[in-house]
Amino acid sequence: MYADDETVRRILQGTGDTWAVVGLSANRSRAAHGVAEVLQRFGKKVVPVHPKAEPVHGEQGYASLADIRFPVDVVDVFVNSDLAGGVADEAVAAGAKAVWFQLGVIDEAACARTRAAGLDMVMDRCPAIEIPRLGRPS
């Protein structure tokens, strides 16, 4: 397991409500599309990040984290594991408070770097699964 329930709960409840979802496009068949919809349903502002920079779920898209001109609390990563470390490094540089690698996205070195930079980090879990389980304030 790459994060304990306390860390997951802290990110979902206390880290902030602006989530950049890297890999989110208008393609409804992709997992990122459905997860972003769940995030919105639970009160999160979703910021699509994809090379096409297309709007998704009524939100303006951006080509990269560096293009976003407002604070992002959590960076939710839907890219292959071999690209995820670079995204985590960009999240640190952008001033995010937490990084979340989706199910199947694993890069232990990136996880260690991200945590060493002072950010909360979750890996190989899905917020759409965790929000109903842990994310609602008690």
Side-chain angles (χ1 to χ4, degrees):
M1 183 170 297
Y2 297 109
D4 57 54
D5 285 351
E6 181 181 325
T7 301
V8 170
R9 187 176 286 111
R10 183 170 52 248
I11 292 171
L12 294 174
Q13 294 178 2
T15 298
D17 291 331
T18 302
W19 286 53
V21 182
V22 178
L24 174 58
S25 71
N27 184 343
R28 294 180 178 275
S29 67
R30 303 296 300 211
H33 199 276
V35 170
E37 198 169 49
V38 171
L39 289 168
Q40 281 186 321
R41 206 171 323 135
F42 283 91
K44 308 300 182 187
K45 175 182 173 66
V46 170
V47 182
V49 179
H50 188 277
K52 292 180 182 178
E54 57 195 347
V56 183
H57 297 306
E59 297 290 345
Q60 170 64 47
Y62 297 86
S64 71
L65 289 173
D67 291 337
I68 301 171
R69 298 291 177 220
F70 51 86
V72 169
D73 301 308
V74 181
V75 176
D76 189 6
V77 181
F78 278 92
V79 300
N80 293 332
S81 295
D82 59 337
L83 301 174
V87 175
D89 295 340
E90 291 173 21
V92 170
K97 299 173 188 168
V99 176
W100 191 300
F101 283 5
Q102 281 294 321
L103 290 172
V105 180
I106 300 169
D107 182 331
E108 293 183 11
C111 182
R113 286 193 312 273
T114 302
R115 287 179 177 160
L119 283 69
D120 277 330
M121 175 78 190
V122 172
M123 193 163 53
D124 194 29
R125 288 172 84 169
C126 179
I129 294 169
E130 303 300 335
I131 286 173
R133 191 173 81 82
L134 297 171
R136 294 183 179 172
S138 22

